[in-house]
Amino acid sequence: MTSPKPEHHAHHASNTDGFAPPAPNTLNLGVIGNCAISALIDPTARIVWSCLPRFDGDPVFHSLLGSENGDGSWAIEMENLAGSSQTYEPNTAILKTELWDRDGQRILITDFAPRFLSRGRFFRPTMLVRRVQPLQGSPRIRIHLKPRFDWGKMAPEITSGSNHIRFVGNGMILRLQTDASLTHVQNGNPFLLTRPLNFLLGPDETLQGGIDETARLFEQETRLYWRQWTQRLALPLEWQDAVIRAAITLKLSVFEDTGAIVAAMTTSIPEAPNSERNWDYRYCWLRDAFFVVRALNSLAEVGTMENYLDFLSNAVESSKGGHVQPLFGVDMETQLTERQVPNLAGYRGMGPVRVGNQAHEHFQHDVYGNIVLAAAQAFHDKRLIHPAGAAEFERLEVVGEQAIAVFDQPDAGMWELRTRSRIHTSSALMCWAACDRLAKIARTLGKAERTTYWQGKASGMQERILRESWSEERQAFAESFGGRELDASVLLMAEVGFIDPMDPRFISTVEALEASLCDGPYMRRYEAADDFGKPEVAFNICTFWRIDALARIGRIEEARAIFETMLKARNNLGMLSEDTHATTGEMWGNYPQTYSMVGIINAAVRLSAAWDTVI
């Protein structure tokens, strides 16, 4: 399967002035970013979401979650707009949107956030760059630039200089530097586009060079950075375009300054229509981050792991050998108090909009396995600039002791259930993984006594999990010790090496899960009702776990067919959110979801034909 083709959208200007109102919100959004900030851009090149000065900051562009009169968005509008198409420049995070009007006049909008090596370090300013050029004719355009502060509540004070406009908020000042007419931009006047124009929105600082020269240089350098980054990936033979886009999207989710990896760029996109399952995902879950690191490692992109291990070491150190919370802010914040933002109506009016996440208070015991698994490769990989050694192992052993302590204790589980607690199989499984990997690390470090210790702990846990999570009635491993309900997360047993996938108990579990949790190719998380009733949408990562399990038990053709279905479920730019509605095929949940993009990489790596079949 090749990369998604640019999708052509038809539009009809309906306002009396010839300029169409904003298109209805969907998750058909392009993502640009630079490992410090990001922005989501709709098919008509309207920026509908961007948090500054970092991923979990104030959404100065927030219209994805509600807007009056287009406030909280940045559009380059075209008079009598008839259609648009959008694509990424190959192997980059540079987005190109073409708009055309009823007379066939066309413009091209190039969007990116600068990222490149400069003087030996990464240059990644808090800046969005938009370049607009006429391709055919001299159409009339209008610049609609309406940032807002404090979650949409505050309109900025606006001042202007000779070639810039300042948007002054409480604690934040943005400066737009442009070679367009400031009067037209500030007043929203339509004007003829007769030459290329550049818009750089960022810190309140003067550019070193000219506007056009700077924008061109930033684009060239950013293109070169992403192409060189992509060139170093070790790709599977098949589905390369899908894997490249997924890998770039994962890289965009890294907050490089601390090494944090956010679960998604958004908050409060409902998991299902009108479900109120609206959560803030703009933080670093240690579970999701491990899966991101492992997926990029599988493509030989180990830099993200090294960056993340700095973050992880600090997170573990701050816990002082005790309970580790499942998520942190991108700057290691431990308090992520959850609140609602009543002045934003929510995605398509489906509130509430939540900021912060109560899960920071949870006990989720799989976290200890996720910590050790994320760090494990650093002890075995000779490529690393900072390989892990004895000191790091001692710090990880403290995490392992915590896994031993909580292995058979009730917790909220990986699905973060807010109103019930059980001994979850998936949490016990990851405690086993912590001990198993510590034994392997100890062996690599030549520590025979510690190898024996951790092997003993792991084998004791393994025996109990196999015995206590097995449901004779369901002929499957259940979601909790002594339970009978089914949960897709037990599929991780094979993925983390806990059980031989050809074990009859695992094969039987796969079949039982398919019978109870699948809507055709798609898979739900669990069958039990939770705080909000029974889940109605498929959770994308569960579908990918199923693909992995099918491949391991020899049902390769089925796995490939389901993978192709998931590739078709992506939007036209190759992205997935958290959930897919099994009947409508529509995306729901926060976007772009790193867990889902990880699934694309894992499935392609597992299912692809080998390179030596063609070369």
Side-chain angles (χ1 to χ4, degrees):
M1 165 136 180
T2 56
S3 63
K5 295 287 183 285
E7 192 166 284
H8 294 269
H9 297 267
H11 307 281
H12 304 286
S14 58
N15 282 11
T16 50
D17 62 3
F19 287 90
N25 279 319
T26 70
L27 295 182
N28 196 9
L29 302 171
V31 184
I32 60 170
N34 62 3
C35 303
I37 60 164
S38 63
L40 303 183
I41 302 175
D42 84 0
T44 63
R46 182 181 296 269
I47 295 180
V48 296
W49 185 256
S50 184
C51 298
L52 299 176
R54 57 188 216 190
F55 299 136
D56 59 356
D58 187 9
V60 295
F61 300 117
H62 59 71
S63 65
L64 182 65
L65 294 185
S67 169
E68 291 182 23
N69 312 317
D71 288 351
S73 70
W74 183 6
I76 294 155
E77 301 173 334
M78 189 179 200
E79 190 175 38
N80 299 322
L81 178 67
S84 68
S85 70
Q86 203 168 46
T87 186
Y88 280 104
E89 206 168 300
N91 299 357
T92 75
I94 299 173
L95 189 67
K96 304 272 189 179
T97 310
E98 207 172 301
L99 307 179
W100 55 90
D101 67 14
R102 293 200 293 256
D103 300 322
Q105 300 187 105
R106 308 174 86 88
I107 67 171
L108 177 67
I109 300 160
T110 301
D111 287 314
F112 64 96
R115 174 175 173 77
F116 49 88
L117 271 171
S118 173
R119 302 189 184 112
R121 48 200 297 246
F122 279 113
F123 176 68
R124 44 170 197 269
T126 311
M127 178 183 287
L128 302 172
V129 179
R130 315 201 74 181
R131 310 192 71 202
V132 189
Q133 64 186 100
L135 298 179
Q136 207 165 330
S138 300
R140 279 215 315 170
I141 66 167
R142 185 169 73 181
I143 308 301
H144 172 101
L145 175 53
K146 295 282 182 73
R148 286 290 179 271
F149 297 112
D150 193 15
W151 289 84
K153 290 200 281 283
M154 181 184 167
E157 182 189 332
I158 299 173
T159 64
S160 57
S162 57
N163 62 358
H164 72 264
I165 301 170
R166 294 167 82 241
F167 300 91
V168 181
N170 191 2
M172 195 187 318
I173 300 174
L174 296 176
R175 179 189 289 232
L176 176 75
Q177 304 188 73
T178 181
D179 45 12
S181 156
L182 291 188
T183 305
H184 292 336
V185 172
Q186 209 166 326
N187 297 336
N189 300 332
F191 61 94
L192 293 171
L193 182 68
T194 56
R195 60 184 173 83
L197 297 175
N198 301 280
F199 302 86
L200 297 86
L201 182 69
D204 189 26
E205 300 162 6
T206 308
L207 293 176
Q208 302 284 305
I211 288 169
D212 180 71
E213 167 201 358
T214 302
R216 185 185 299 114
L217 174 70
F218 283 5
E219 183 182 350
Q220 284 170 357
E221 292 291 328
T222 300
R223 179 185 297 113
L224 180 64
Y225 163 76
W226 285 111
R227 286 190 171 162
Q228 288 179 337
W229 185 85
T230 304
Q231 186 183 36
R232 291 193 293 269
L233 297 176
L235 296 174
L237 173 64
E238 297 181 82
W239 305 293
Q240 290 185 44
D241 290 318
V243 170
I244 288 169
R245 184 52 48 204
I248 289 174
T249 307
L250 294 184
K251 189 67 176 176
L252 290 175
S253 305
V254 176
F255 185 70
E256 193 168 53
D257 187 56
T258 63
I261 302 169
V262 293
M265 301 297 184
T266 58
T267 177
S268 304
I269 308 294
E271 288 180 14
N274 297 301
S275 64
E276 295 192 16
R277 296 173 186 260
N278 302 9
W279 316 115
D280 190 349
Y281 276 21
R282 302 168 306 141
Y283 307 113
C284 182
W285 271 258
L286 303 190
R287 175 189 311 113
D288 301 46
F290 153 62
F291 283 102
V292 169
V293 162
R294 193 173 68 156
L296 290 175
N297 284 351
S298 77
L299 305 177
E301 203 286 284
V302 293
T304 297
M305 174 176 66
E306 291 203 83
N307 196 196
Y308 172 63
L309 290 182
D310 286 342
F311 181 87
L312 192 61
S313 303
N314 284 311
V316 170
E317 205 60 34
S318 69
S319 72
K320 303 282 186 249
H323 159 69
V324 179
Q325 63 189 60
L327 70 153
F328 293 82
V330 298
D331 190 23
M332 298 296 311
E333 294 90 345
T334 55
Q335 294 299 312
L336 302 170
T337 308
E338 189 170 289
R339 63 185 175 90
Q340 295 188 11
V341 180
N343 56 294
L344 291 179
Y347 179 70
R348 301 191 194 165
M350 298 178 193
V353 172
R354 290 186 172 96
V355 184
N357 199 303
Q358 186 208 319
H360 79 273
E361 301 171 359
H362 285 189
F363 285 77
Q364 296 175 21
H365 296 155
D366 66 321
V367 70
Y368 305 106
N370 291 314
I371 291 167
V372 176
L373 285 164
Q377 184 163 328
F379 291 89
H380 307 289
D381 194 326
K382 300 292 187 193
R383 293 170 293 179
L384 303 190
I385 296 167
H386 305 292
E392 289 81 5
F393 175 64
E394 283 177 26
R395 286 205 293 269
L396 272 192
E397 284 198 297
V398 176
V399 176
E401 290 297 339
Q402 196 66 19
I404 294 168
V406 302
F407 159 71
D408 56 0
Q409 300 301 306
D411 73 341
M414 71 185 300
W415 305 128
E416 306 187 329
L417 302 170
R418 296 185 171 207
T419 56
R420 73 156 200 244
S421 178
R422 297 178 183 176
I423 303 170
H424 288 97
T425 306
S426 54
S427 296
L429 170 70
M430 291 314 241
C431 290
W432 166 85
C435 298
D436 176 74
R437 297 319 193 263
L438 283 166
K440 293 180 167 78
I441 293 166
R443 188 182 301 118
T444 293
L445 296 176
K447 295 178 179 288
E449 184 210 337
R450 302 313 294 159
T451 305
T452 305
Y453 175 81
W454 289 111
Q455 277 176 337
K457 295 296 182 187
S459 61
M461 290 181 181
Q462 186 173 33
E463 188 271 326
R464 282 194 61 193
I465 294 168
L466 290 171
R467 185 176 75 246
E468 297 191 41
S469 71
W470 177 255
S471 167
E472 195 60 35
E473 176 201 348
R474 304 298 296 270
Q475 287 296 294
F477 293 111
E479 49 82 47
S480 60
F481 281 19
R484 66 172 302 281
E485 289 164 348
L486 301 185
D487 183 314
S489 62
V490 299
L491 293 174
L492 288 169
M493 285 181 167
E495 198 169 319
V496 299
F498 175 82
I499 194 170
D500 180 343
M502 300 313 291
D503 186 306
R505 291 169 295 184
F506 186 73
I507 292 173
S508 172
T509 298
V510 173
E511 291 166 354
L513 289 170
E514 287 182 312
S516 73
L517 295 182
C518 286
D519 297 304
Y522 302 113
M523 193 169 216
R524 295 184 304 280
R525 283 176 285 187
Y526 40 78
E527 59 184 358
D530 60 17
D531 317 347
F532 293 83
K534 282 199 171 189
E536 66 168 288
V537 293
F539 203 75
N540 291 330
I541 193 61
C542 299
T543 306
F544 286 114
W545 289 342
R546 179 191 180 194
I547 290 168
D548 180 84
L550 291 177
R552 288 173 192 266
I553 65 177
R555 291 165 57 185
I556 304 286
E557 289 312 309
E558 285 174 85
R560 288 178 69 97
I562 295 169
F563 184 38
E564 290 290 356
T565 301
M566 289 307 293
L567 291 174
K568 290 189 179 76
R570 298 174 302 160
N571 65 20
N572 60 301
L573 292 168
M575 308 287 185
L576 284 169
S577 66
E578 181 185 60
D579 310 274
T580 301
H581 199 289
T583 47
T584 65
E586 190 169 11
M587 288 189 193
W588 291 91
N590 283 311
Y591 177 91
Q593 173 79 344
T594 51
Y595 230 150
S596 300
M597 305 309 284
V598 161
I600 292 171
I601 293 173
N602 290 351
V605 169
R606 169 136 327 262
L607 295 171
S608 172
W611 278 91
D612 64 10
T613 59
V614 296
I615 53 176

